[in-house]
Amino acid sequence: METEAERPQDPQSDSQQDSKKPNSSSLAFRIWPPTQRTRDAVIARLVETLTTPSVLSKRYGSMPADEADSTARSIENEAFSVADLEAGAAAEVDGIEVLQVYSKEISKRILESVKSRASAVGTGSTTGLEDSKNGAEAAGEASEDAVSSAEMQT
């Protein structure tokens, strides 16, 4: 009776077995930087958040589509720049951490944008701790939704 060590090796069966094993180099998954398609999806989601009824629009008002588009592009570009600097600052920074910085920057900037627009237009309440807390929560949810939905689309 032959043992496995004594059996002649069939090169074809070896390659079939190898193809079933995951190749670690083909499993590389990169979170940062996001693709342009992902960034465009984040912008689209931000425009949607700024133009449609939401917690933010109820409190601070909604924006016309053209203004929302330029605001969303600016928010995303600034947030991307800050996060990219964070990624470049230290090689050992995890992509997830950079993505969190990106999301937080979007939250901060969307809230700043809607608040400044509301005070310039004279709508919405921008005073009080409760308003700031609700606005920050809504902005955080909006940016997390934008980043999450963009990731799902890619």
Side-chain angles (χ1 to χ4, degrees):
M1 175 180 269
E2 289 181 337
T3 64
E4 284 191 39
E6 297 171 337
R7 286 188 196 144
Q9 294 293 318
D10 178 11
Q12 189 174 20
S13 67
D14 283 349
S15 66
Q16 287 173 350
Q17 288 174 355
D18 287 346
S19 66
K20 293 178 186 175
K21 295 177 186 175
N23 183 349
S24 62
S25 64
S26 67
L27 292 178
F29 184 71
R30 186 177 54 109
I31 293 176
W32 192 263
T35 63
Q36 188 60 48
R37 181 177 166 198
T38 299
R39 292 183 68 191
D40 290 343
V42 168
I43 291 168
R45 183 71 170 119
L46 288 171
V47 169
E48 182 181 335
T49 299
L50 294 168
T51 58
T52 60
S54 67
V55 174
L56 282 176
S57 68
K58 287 177 187 170
R59 184 160 309 279
Y60 301 107
S62 60
M63 291 184 185
D66 59 336
E67 183 181 351
D69 185 68
S70 63
T71 300
R73 289 180 187 285
S74 176
I75 289 168
E76 192 283 332
N77 192 39
E78 291 169 8
F80 179 84
S81 295
V82 169
D84 207 39
L85 283 173
E86 179 85 13
E92 66 275 354
V93 175
D94 185 11
I96 302 265
E97 291 172 23
V98 178
L99 199 57
Q100 288 174 335
V101 169
Y102 179 62
S103 182
K104 286 179 184 178
E105 287 295 320
I106 289 172
S107 296
K108 181 175 89 174
R109 292 168 194 286
I110 196 170
L111 187 57
E112 289 170 356
S113 295
V114 296
K115 278 184 169 183
S116 67
R117 183 180 186 282
S119 63
V121 172
T123 62
S125 171
T126 58
T127 60
L129 179 59
E130 192 60 34
D131 286 346
S132 294
K133 202 171 165 183
N134 289 340
E137 288 173 5
E141 289 172 11
S143 71
E144 288 171 10
D145 287 349
V147 173
S148 295
S149 66
E151 289 173 345
M152 295 300 222
Q153 291 176 3
T154 57

